[in-house]
Amino acid sequence: MKFVDRDLMAVQEARVLMEEAGEAKTVLGRWKQENLDRVVHAMMKACSERVEMLVQMAVRETGYGEITDQVRMCRFLIASLEKSFENMRCVGILESCEGEGVLEIGVPLGVIAVAVPALSPVSAVLFGAVSAVKAGNAVVFAPHPRAVETTKKTVQILREVALAEGLPDGAISCMETSAKEGALELFGHPQTSLILNMGEEALYRESPAGKTVIYGGIVPSPVFIERSADVRQAVADIVAGRSFNCGIVAGSEQYVVADSRIAEIAKQEMISCGAYFMDEKEEKKLICLLGIGEKQGCAEKEYIGKSAEWLATKAGFSVPKGTRVLVSEQTYITDFNPYANALLCPVIVFYIESDWTHACEKCMELLMGENHGNTLAIHSTDAEIIRQFALKKPVGRV
C-alpha cells in the first residue's frame, strides 16, 4: 500500500506554482494597462455568468452561509469592482507633472500569494484574482481545507478565460493540495512579493518575517442607537445586517448599545423584525452549543454560518418561525465574556445605557476587547454626538 505525505506534496506543489508564477510575472511586466483591463473585464463577466453555480458549490462544501445572500454579495462585489476599476491606472505613467519635471509611474509588485477563507471563497478568489491582474501581478491561491473544490473551480474559470485573452500561463493558479505547510511555503517563497490573507488567523500568525502582509479578518462590531435616531429604520438595518448570510459578513453588528430613552422601543422593533430575546436558560443552552462556555468567544466551527432557527433547534429551545437573530440582553461586560470574539452566526448582544456618554464608554470597552474591533456604527441625527464618537473611538471606521 502506497502512502502519500500531503504536507510534502503541498510544499513541492507550492514551489512549482511559484516558479511558474515568477516566469509569468516577467511577461506581465511588459503588459499595458489597456490589455490588463481587457482580461479583468472578461474574468468578471465569466464569474458573473457562473456565480450561482459557484455559490451553491461553496455552501454545499463548507456548510456556511445562505445561497441567496452570497449570490447578492458576489454580484455587489462585481459591480463595485467594475465601478472602482473604471479609468483606474495601475501600471505605466499614472500622472505627469511637466512643469515640475515629475512622472508618477506604476509598476507591478510581482507575485501575490493569497490565503482563501472558507467563509466566502468565491468572492475572495474573484477579488484576489482581478485585483492582482489589474495591477499586472501574477497570483497563486492557497485554498482553505474546507473549501478546496470551490476555490479550485473558481480559479479554473478565471484562469481559462484569462488564458483565452492572452494572459501568460502561470499568471493565475491554485494549489490542488490544501495543507498549512504548502500555504506557508507559498508565503515564504523568494518569488512572493505580497501575502494577501483574507481571514486565516492561524496562517497570519505564522507568516514569514520580511514579507509584506495584508490581513483582514472578521471582528465583532458595536452599534449605538442614539435617542435622536429613526429607531425603526435603525433596527431594521441592524437585524438585516446581522442576519445577512447567517452572520458571517465582515462588519455586521454583534453588539447593540441602546440609549435608555428609546431602548424599549428598540427592543419591540427588533422583535417585530424577527429578533428573539433569549431567557437565561435558553442562553446557557446556546453558549453550550457554540462551545463558548469555557473558551472565550471561540465558537465551534460546525455552528458557524447557520440560521437563528437552526441554532435554536440544535441548542434545544423553540423560537417563532421566521426568527432571524437570537439576542442576549446583558448589563455589564464581565471579565469572562463568552461574546468577546466574533461569533460567526446571527447572535446579537443587547446593552442599555443612560445617555450617549455612557454608551460611548461602553462601545470603547467593546472595541478594546479580545479582537480590537475595527468598525463602529452609530444611528443618530445629532451631528455633534456623531462627531464625538468619531473623534474618540479607537477604530478604523465609523
Side-chain angles (χ1 to χ4, degrees):
M1 187 174 180
K2 189 175 180 180
F3 292 93
V4 178
D5 191 318
R6 287 180 55 83
D7 298 347
L8 290 177
M9 279 183 60
V11 169
Q12 182 59 34
E13 185 183 359
R15 291 172 180 169
V16 171
L17 292 179
M18 291 307 293
E19 291 300 326
E20 293 174 350
E23 294 176 8
K25 81 171 184 183
T26 303
V27 179
L28 279 174
R30 299 191 291 268
W31 274 50
K32 294 181 179 180
Q33 187 68 68
E34 292 73 20
N35 295 329
L36 295 170
D37 288 348
R38 186 189 70 249
V39 178
V40 166
H41 176 75
M43 290 166 67
M44 288 196 286
K45 183 174 183 293
C47 190
S48 180
E49 291 171 350
R50 298 167 177 82
V51 67
E52 285 88 356
M53 177 271 290
L54 290 171
V55 166
Q56 288 173 9
M57 186 177 181
V59 173
R60 282 198 306 269
E61 184 178 13
T62 66
Y64 296 157
E66 204 276 329
I67 292 173
T68 302
D69 287 348
Q70 287 202 36
V71 169
R72 287 175 61 195
M73 185 169 63
C74 287
R75 294 206 177 283
F76 176 78
L77 174 63
I78 292 170
S80 298
L81 288 171
E82 287 175 341
K83 183 177 180 180
S84 61
F85 282 176
E86 188 177 5
N87 300 322
M88 178 193 292
R89 298 194 65 84
C90 300
V91 299
I93 297 175
L94 308 183
E95 190 173 343
S96 174
C97 185
E98 295 182 4
E100 299 293 332
V102 175
L103 286 178
E104 184 179 349
I105 299 174
V107 295
L109 285 168
V111 181
I112 301 174
V114 181
V116 180
L119 295 179
S120 50
V122 179
S123 58
V125 169
L126 174 63
F127 175 79
V130 299
S131 298
V133 174
K134 172 73 176 178
N137 300 292
V139 59
V140 183
F141 293 93
H144 188 282
R146 194 162 182 145
V148 176
E149 296 307 316
T150 303
T151 301
K152 286 162 52 179
K153 184 64 175 178
T154 309
V155 173
Q156 178 191 349
I157 289 170
L158 296 176
R159 179 177 179 274
E160 287 178 354
V161 71
L163 290 175
E165 292 293 330
L167 206 70
D169 197 12
I172 302 174
S173 59
C174 179
M175 295 186 63
E176 294 282 329
T177 308
S178 177
K180 182 180 74 172
E181 290 76 11
L184 292 175
E185 183 68 22
L186 283 184
F187 294 173
H189 195 277
Q191 291 286 359
T192 300
S193 304
L194 173 70
I195 300 167
L196 178 58
N197 186 332
M198 290 184 264
E200 292 306 305
E201 187 175 356
L203 290 177
Y204 171 72
R205 294 185 185 281
E206 296 188 46
S207 295
K211 296 290 185 180
T212 302
V213 181
I214 296 177
Y215 174 78
I218 298 177
V219 294
S221 300
V223 54
F224 174 45
I225 309 176
E226 195 263 332
R227 64 184 62 176
S228 70
D230 180 337
V231 179
R232 176 176 292 183
Q233 185 62 56
V235 167
D237 291 345
I238 291 165
V239 174
R242 191 58 179 156
S243 61
F244 186 86
N245 203 24
C246 299
I248 57 174
V249 177
S252 68
E253 303 89 335
Q254 183 165 308
Y255 310 117
V256 175
V257 182
D259 189 308
S260 60
R261 193 171 295 185
I262 51 86
E264 284 304 315
I265 299 173
K267 288 175 65 174
Q268 292 306 312
E269 290 292 342
M270 288 179 73
I271 293 169
S272 298
C273 287
Y276 179 81
F277 282 76
M278 298 177 288
D279 62 28
E280 188 175 343
K281 290 183 180 179
E282 291 168 338
E283 184 177 4
K284 285 181 178 178
K285 290 180 179 180
L286 180 70
I287 288 173
C288 181
L289 174 74
L290 297 181
I292 55 178
E294 295 178 2
K295 297 180 180 179
Q296 255 188 330
C298 183
E300 291 292 335
K301 294 187 183 299
E302 294 307 312
Y303 307 119
I304 290 173
K306 299 297 192 294
S307 71
E309 289 186 59
W310 190 98
L311 289 171
T313 301
K314 197 75 174 177
F317 61 91
S318 299
V319 296
K321 188 172 179 58
T323 294
R324 300 165 70 190
V325 294
L326 303 176
V327 185
S328 167
E329 186 170 354
Q330 299 287 322
T331 304
Y332 307 106
I333 302 173
T334 58
D335 291 336
F336 168 65
N337 177 15
Y339 304 107
N341 286 347
L343 296 180
L344 301 172
C345 54
V347 175
I348 285 176
V349 187
F350 188 86
Y351 298 97
I352 300 174
E353 293 296 336
S354 58
D355 52 42
W356 78 264
T357 55
H358 288 89
C360 188
E361 291 172 3
K362 178 74 76 178
C363 289
M364 289 181 71
E365 191 175 356
L366 291 166
L367 286 167
M368 295 305 293
E370 294 289 316
N371 279 278
H372 299 285
N374 56 35
T375 303
L376 165 73
I378 175 172
H379 291 267
S380 174
T381 59
D382 190 316
E384 181 57 27
I385 291 177
I386 295 172
R387 181 173 179 273
Q388 290 299 321
F389 262 70
L391 287 171
K392 294 181 179 181
K393 293 298 164 291
V395 67
R397 59 187 174 185
V398 177

